[in-house]
Amino acid sequence: MGIPFPSEYLQAMGIQQWVPRDGMAAVSAPAQAVEITTSPEIYVPQAGEDAIALLDWPALEARVSTCERCALHATRNRTVFGSGDRSADWLIIGEAPGADEDRQGEPFVGRAGKLLTAMLQAVGYRRDQVYITNILKCRPPQNRDPSSDETACCHAYLERQIELVNPRLILAVGRIAAHTLLGTDTAIGRLRSSVHHYGKDRIPLVVTYHPAYLLRSPLEKRKAWEDLRLARQAASGG
Ligand code: URA
């Protein structure tokens, strides 16, 4: 599937497209080799979480909407459960809702979200063809990093979403998502360019930069493009 290297989307990502000179055909660099690494952490449910692991989509969404497992419920406007195709091949996992998402109840709808949408389009996916969610379902005040308690409280929801979507690929967007899912604090620059695996089903997992970071550091967009190509390769079993 997918439209290879569509120029309008590369443009939307702010990536300069190389054009052939001297009548030579354009040759795209091959995606980076798929290196297999293992996620060190297989999630073990905590007490009381078994019930969450049995919920279907409507019950899970309803449970999240009334969640009071951590203090973030007191400051949120809306929970942000997830959006998109619930049987998608690609599961995109970001960090946590920001102000726009907290207001609208949908992940990645602000400026960073628009860039994420363009990035997905660059590899041939519309937003509604993937499933998008976050490590946290509620906004941390002032967009601070999630605490380890908040991440732990929310993890059973994410775990059930992963199980229900059963994707061919997880794209971990940004440092917090990568560190939480892989159980490491290795720098994101070292985690990208490899295919990791998540959980007992060893779902291929690729790490890329957060679009909010890419908005601040546009020169890194080319690396994100390489990450997405690697993800596409990993999703197709390559
Ligand atoms: N950043 C994220 O990580 N997730 C969102 O939903 C929005 C911004």
Side-chain angles (χ1 to χ4, degrees), residues 130-153:
V130 300
Y131 190 77
I132 306 177
T133 190
N134 284 306
I135 297 289
L136 293 191
K137 310 305 187 218
C138 297
R139 181 191 183 204
Q142 280 80 51
N143 297 343
R144 63 159 169 73
D145 284 358
S147 72
S148 52
D149 277 2
E150 291 156 359
T151 302
C153 285

Side-chain angles (χ1 to χ4, degrees), residues 37-42 135 155 172 175-186 191-192 194-199 203 205-207:
T37 57
T38 308
S39 162
E41 205 172 76
I42 292 181
I135 297 289
H155 199 83
R175 171 179 59 89
I176 300 287
H179 287 179
T180 305
L181 293 167
L182 295 175
T184 180
D185 59 4
T186 301
L191 293 172
R192 53 176 295 280
S194 298
V195 179
H196 306 267
H197 289 90
Y198 182 80
I203 302 166
L205 183 154
V206 169
V207 170

